[in-house]
Amino acid sequence: MHDQAVFSHLFPATILREYDIRGIVGETLHEADAYAIGRTFGSIVARKGGSRVAVGRDGRLSSPQLAAMLIEGLMASGMAVIDIGCGPTPMLYFAATVEATDGAVMVTGSHNPANYNGFKMMLGRKPFFGPQIQELGRLAAAGDVVAAVPGSVTAQDISEAYIKRLLQDWDGGDRALNVVWDSGNGAAGDVLTRLVKALPGKHTVLNAAIDGRFPAHHPDPTVPKNLEQLVAAVRQQGADIGIAFDGDADRIGIVDDTGEILFGDQFLILLARDVLENHPGATIIADVKASQVLFDQIAAAGGTPLMWKTGHSLIKSKMAETGSPLAGEMSGHIFFADRWYGFDDALYAAIRVMNAMINSGQSVSAFRKSLPPVLNTPELRFDCEESRKFSVVAEVAERLRADGATVSETDGVRVNTPDGWWLLRASNTQAVLVARAEAGSEAGLARLKATLASQLAASGLAPDFSGANAGH
C-alpha cells in the first residue's frame, strides 16, 4: 500500500458523496482509502502547481490512524503537510485561510454515528465537492497520480490564533451572559473550554471531553432528542441561552432562555437583522428547506432574500458569487462573510448569535415569540432507491407544471399555495427523498400534506406522515 511502483485504488462507490467522502470504518472505509485519498488529492494539488496541504481530524477513535495514512499519501505526492491535529472542522478552514495553503483535508464523520468517518476537502480557498470528488475516484482507479516524491509533515498548533480571532469579533464588551454550551463530546471541546474562559459572564460547558464514542448523546443538534440535556441545564440554571455543536462543530443548535429550541431558519433571522444594520440591502441566502417567515423577515429588515440549494459547498459557492455577507441552512450550517471568511463555523456563529442577542435588547425567547406563528412539519425523509430518487422529483415537477402550479425548481420542487408551501427534493447524500411543508393553519397543513402524499403516490411511493406536525 505504501506506494507501489504502480499505484491504483478502487473506492467503494457509496463513500464518494456530493460534499465529502464518508463511510463506515472497517466496512466501507479503510486505511487504504485514506492513503489513496492523500495520494490522489496530493496529485491534484501538485498538478495545479501547489505543494502545501493542511490536515486536521476530529475526535473519533478511528481519526488518528486515518489521518496518519492520509498524510502518508499526501507526502508520497510531494506535499508539505501542515498537521493541525485534533479540533473542529472550521479550525482547519481557518488554518487553510490564514496559512494560505493550496489545499486542506479534514478527517471527520461530522454528525454521523461513532462508527462512521470521512474526509472534507478544500482546494485553494474553495470547497472540493460534487464532480471533483467523482474525478478523484476516477484518478485513483486509473492510477493517474504524479510520480512519487518525498514530502514533509510539520505539526502546528493553530488553536491559540483561532481562539484569538474568534474573540476579536465579540461585541458584547463586559456584558455578562449566562450561557450553557453542549459540545456533545465532539471535536470543539478543548477549543470551546478555552474560548469561554476569555468571555465575560457565566459559562457552563456540557460534555466538553472529546470522546469519539459520544457517550452523552448523538452529536447532531438538529434532532430535539439530542438537545434534552442542554434544555434541562438551561432551565435549571435560568441561563440566557443554550448553544450546541455537532461532532465537528460546523453546525450550531440554539435553545432559548425558556428551554425552547430555535431552528436554523429562526436564529438566522436574528443574525440577518444584525448584519443588515451594517449592510443594508445585502443578499442573505438560505436553503430551500427554510421557512417562508425567514425570507419575509429578511426582506422586512431591508435585505434581499435568496433561496438556494441545500448543501454547505453549494451555499459557499453561491455566497462567493453574490457577495452575500451571511447565509444559513436549516441544518445549522451558518456562513459569515461579514468580518469572517465565508465558511461555516459554529463557534464563530455562536459569538455572533450572542452579539445579535445583546444588540437586539431582547431575550431570545422574546425574539422567538415575536415571529409570525406558522405550523410546519419537521424534515420528512422517505426511503427511495438511489436510481429512482431524482426521477421521482422530475415526475412530480412535470405534473405540477402541467397543473399550472407555482413552483420553484431551485433544488427539487418547492410549491407555493394559498395555504403555504411544500417541498420535495432528493437527498444528495442518502437514498431518500426529503420533504417539508408549512402553513398558517392546521387545516392548511393537512391539505399541503395530502397534496404531497398524492404526488408521491402517483410516482408509486406510499409515504407515512404520522407525527409530522410541529410549530415554529
Side-chain angles (χ1 to χ4, degrees):
M1 184 176 67
H2 300 263
D3 234 85
Q4 314 90 324
V6 179
F7 165 87
S8 82
H9 182 85
L10 201 59
F11 294 106
T14 57
I15 74 171
L16 301 175
R17 300 169 11 147
E18 179 68 14
Y19 311 123
D20 54 25
I21 297 173
R22 206 180 300 178
I24 299 169
V25 177
E27 290 182 30
T28 58
L29 183 68
H30 301 84
E31 289 176 18
D33 297 310
Y35 179 85
I37 289 164
R39 187 73 175 90
T40 313
F41 184 74
S43 298
I44 291 168
V45 173
R47 284 169 175 163
K48 285 190 167 288
S51 61
R52 299 171 73 242
V53 177
V55 170
R57 59 182 161 84
D58 69 12
R60 286 163 192 267
L61 304 185
S62 58
S63 291
Q65 193 54 30
L66 288 173
M69 296 310 299
L70 168 77
I71 288 168
E72 208 167 298
L74 287 164
M75 288 198 297
S77 291
M79 294 296 107
V81 178
I82 300 166
D83 180 6
I84 68 160
C86 180
T89 291
M91 188 167 83
L92 176 77
Y93 296 157
F94 174 79
T97 303
V98 298
E99 294 293 327
T101 61
D102 304 306
V105 186
M106 181 73 185
V107 179
T108 178
S110 189
H111 59 280
N112 281 109
N115 58 333
Y116 281 73
N117 216 323
F119 304 82
K120 293 179 180 176
M121 292 166 280
M122 286 173 71
L123 188 58
R125 300 277 69 73
K126 294 181 177 174
F128 182 89
F129 71 104
Q132 293 169 305
I133 290 175
Q134 299 305 318
E135 177 66 8
L136 184 147
R138 281 193 295 274
L139 292 172
D144 188 354
V145 293
V146 295
V149 287
S152 64
V153 59
T154 311
Q156 186 174 334
D157 185 352
I158 197 95
S159 62
E160 196 56 43
Y162 177 56
I163 292 166
K164 192 175 171 186
R165 180 62 188 85
L166 289 168
L167 289 165
Q168 194 178 307
D169 284 351
W170 166 254
D171 292 340
D174 56 4
R175 174 75 182 272
L177 296 177
N178 180 352
V179 185
V180 182
W181 306 75
D182 188 351
S183 196
N185 300 114
D190 294 349
V191 167
L192 177 61
T193 304
R194 288 156 59 195
L195 175 70
V196 300
K197 281 181 182 157
L199 288 168
K202 180 185 176 188
H203 297 270
T204 307
V205 182
L206 309 174
N207 308 311
I210 297 175
D211 186 337
R213 295 165 300 183
F214 306 116
H217 58 75
H218 189 64
D220 182 352
T222 61
V223 179
K225 184 174 173 33
N226 300 332
L227 296 174
E228 285 172 0
Q229 189 184 359
L230 180 61
V231 167
V234 165
R235 287 176 176 156
Q236 186 187 347
Q237 294 198 19
D240 295 307
I241 190 170
I243 300 172
F245 300 137
D246 74 335
D248 66 334
D250 61 2
R251 298 192 303 141
I252 185 171
I254 300 288
V255 170
D256 76 15
D257 47 297
T258 68
E260 291 294 316
I261 297 166
L262 273 79
F263 294 92
D265 54 359
Q266 291 179 302
F267 57 79
L268 193 58
I269 295 169
L270 183 69
L271 293 169
R273 288 175 180 169
D274 200 53
V275 166
L276 287 165
E277 283 185 16
N278 294 318
H279 299 275
T283 297
I284 310 288
I285 302 172
D287 70 331
V288 292
K289 293 188 278 190
S291 170
Q292 188 59 40
V293 173
L294 168 61
F295 298 106
D296 293 345
Q297 291 291 317
I298 290 168
T304 306
L306 176 63
M307 188 186 295
W308 196 239
K309 298 173 184 179
T310 293
H312 64 92
S313 302
L314 302 168
I315 297 263
K316 280 179 217 177
S317 301
K318 195 66 178 174
M319 279 184 89
E321 182 192 316
T322 58
S324 165
L326 173 69
E329 292 187 273
M330 273 297 293
S331 57
H333 287 279
I334 303 293
F335 312 79
F336 275 95
D338 172 47
R339 296 155 64 182
W340 198 243
Y341 307 100
F343 55 74
D344 39 340
D345 186 334
L347 289 142
Y348 184 75
I351 295 279
R352 296 295 294 261
V353 166
M354 292 186 289
N355 287 349
M357 186 181 100
I358 291 167
N359 293 343
S360 75
Q362 62 178 171
S363 67
V364 184
S365 60
F367 159 76
R368 178 180 56 80
K369 289 170 187 166
S370 74
L371 298 175
V374 286
L375 290 160
N376 46 38
T377 67
E379 196 172 297
L380 306 168
R381 304 173 87 78
F382 309 114
D383 291 334
C384 184
E385 288 170 23
E386 193 71 33
S387 59
R388 181 95 178 91
K389 63 185 186 184
F390 287 104
S391 54
V392 168
V393 174
E395 288 163 19
V396 171
E398 199 172 322
R399 286 193 295 268
L400 289 165
R401 280 196 299 270
D403 291 344
T406 309
V407 185
S408 161
E409 293 184 55
T410 301
D411 182 3
V413 289
R414 179 162 161 152
V415 186
N416 289 320
T417 82
D419 286 318
W421 60 271
W422 61 270
L423 167 77
L424 181 70
R425 58 180 289 275
S427 167
N428 283 313
T429 55
Q430 291 168 294
V432 296
L433 291 170
V434 178
R436 209 176 172 225
E438 176 178 274
S441 69
E442 290 279 6
L445 191 62
R447 282 190 291 270
L448 293 174
K449 288 194 293 188
T451 305
L452 174 55
S454 71
Q455 284 290 350
L456 288 168
S459 285
L461 297 173
D464 176 14
F465 283 103
S466 57
N469 278 28
H472 86 255

